[in-house]
Amino acid sequence: MKKRMLTMMIGAVGVIVVALAGWYVMFVHFGKGPAFPFVKVYAADIVDFEQTEIADNPLMALTETEEEAQGIAEQYGIDLVSFENGLALYQTNEDPFEVIARGEKNGYTKLSINFIRSAYDGDQIQRIYGE
């Protein structure tokens, strides 16, 4: 009886360990599922966006074809710089935020700002994590 009880306890602990390890791998490595209750979650501060640099080609859009990307450029009155793997980059002499606002007002295809971000920016890490 003791041997059977010990085997059941070891099996239960093994199942729990495997479940927690799977949960950890899915959340940390694949970004799926809820976080552990004890994992501290950090929110990005809006100040980070004000200090983020905008790329040389400040506007971008996801499109299926290069022809669609060219149509968006004509719609907005901006220049298509490149199209690769469904990502179109655009150049404009106007303020990119004004171009996006004009597009939203007129119901055009959505454009986004092409920000330059670095995963190794020490100042941002310090602001986000408070280190």
Side-chain angles (χ1 to χ4, degrees):
M1 186 71 168
K2 284 186 177 185
K3 186 176 181 182
R4 184 175 179 167
M5 185 66 111
L6 181 60
T7 303
M8 287 175 47
M9 292 288 285
I10 290 173
V13 168
V15 168
I16 291 171
V17 167
V18 168
L20 288 175
W23 188 11
Y24 174 80
V25 168
M26 286 301 291
F27 180 74
V28 172
H29 294 289
F30 300 114
K32 306 274 185 202
F36 288 113
F38 53 82
V39 175
K40 193 170 183 179
V41 178
Y42 298 98
D45 190 0
I46 193 69
V47 174
D48 293 339
F49 291 109
E50 294 173 11
Q51 297 176 358
T52 303
E53 185 178 349
I54 296 177
D56 291 335
N57 303 316
L59 296 168
M60 63 183 177
L62 296 175
T63 62
E64 295 291 325
T65 64
E66 189 168 356
E67 291 76 26
E68 182 183 348
Q70 186 60 45
I72 293 171
E74 292 169 5
Q75 193 176 42
Y76 277 91
I78 57 179
D79 299 320
L80 175 64
V81 176
S82 70
F83 174 80
E84 188 175 332
N85 296 324
L87 180 66
L89 296 177
Y90 300 96
Q91 180 62 262
T92 181
N93 293 329
E94 299 177 62
D95 179 10
F97 294 101
E98 290 177 8
V99 172
I100 290 175
R102 183 177 69 235
E104 288 176 355
K105 179 181 174 187
N106 294 324
Y108 295 164
T109 304
K110 184 178 179 184
L111 291 177
S112 300
I113 300 293
N114 188 11
F115 288 111
I116 297 174
R117 295 184 181 97
S118 172
Y120 301 105
D121 184 359
D123 292 338
Q124 283 187 344
I125 291 171
Q126 185 175 10
R127 281 194 305 272
I128 294 171
Y129 294 109
E131 295 174 348

